[in-house]
Amino acid sequence: MIAGLFGVLLLSSCYYDNMEDLYPDTGGVCDTTNVTFSQTVLPVLQSHCTGCHSGSAPSGNISIVNYNDVVLLVHSGRLLGTIRHEQGYSPMPKGGNKLSNCDIAKLEKWISDGMPDN
Ligand code: HEC
């Protein structure tokens, strides 16, 4: 069962790359209204990324602890590239499960909102 799920995730990460296809695993309910940096984006990153990407020797020399860190990563294309498991990027979280499609959709919403520091 777990192995099957993992296979599905791997497959879907290759084939699903537009918004419409991103929703099925949430049952169609993914609330991206009222997405903010402090209440939405940062908690997702703290749960899944900061464990490795913080401190005096962050993994890959990439710190992901505050607003400026996140904006820089978005501008370089690497935040979305790594969490969407796109070709040319190291898939993140490393060795862990891909973020839920809803979490990815929330980060995308915040980015399309112009990355407000709110
Ligand atoms: C278990 C530790 C671990 C976790 C958790 C983790 N990373 Fe990483 N990350 C690494 C290591 C180690 C590297 C450097 C080696 C590599 O690129 O694979 C790295 C590299 C990166 C890079 C540069 C790679 C590239 O292709 O540009 C980015 C960006 C990144 N991580 C973002 C994230 C984000 C965003 C999350 C959370 C969704 C995350 N990481 C979670 C360990 C981790």
Side-chain angles (χ1 to χ4, degrees):
M1 175 62 188
I2 303 246
L5 259 182
F6 191 58
V8 168
L9 281 176
L10 279 179
L11 280 178
S12 55
S13 66
C14 297
Y15 295 113
Y16 291 169
D17 52 20
N18 62 48
M19 291 297 272
E20 287 72 32
D21 288 336
L22 285 170
Y23 292 115
D25 76 342
T26 62
V29 180
C30 178
D31 187 1
T32 59
T33 50
N34 302 322
V35 164
T36 67
F37 180 73
S38 60
Q39 299 301 310
T40 321
V41 174
L42 196 57
V44 167
L45 299 177
Q46 282 173 337
S47 318
H48 300 280
C49 318
T50 310
C52 296
H53 293 284
S54 65
S56 54
S59 291
N61 222 5
I62 294 175
S63 198
I64 311 179
V65 297
N66 59 36
Y67 177 78
N68 287 338
D69 294 339
V70 179
V71 169
L72 273 178
L73 271 186
V74 171
H75 281 310
S76 71
R78 296 199 286 176
L79 186 79
L80 288 179
T82 54
I83 64 173
R84 285 167 168 171
H85 295 188
E86 284 172 3
Q87 235 174 25
Y89 297 96
S90 185
M92 294 290 147
K94 197 169 190 70
N97 290 328
K98 199 180 179 199
L99 296 192
S100 74
N101 291 333
C102 188
D103 278 346
I104 294 175
K106 287 176 179 170
L107 299 195
E108 290 170 339
K109 173 67 164 46
W110 174 72
I111 293 167
S112 68
D113 281 348
M115 298 189 279
D117 185 4
N118 54 9

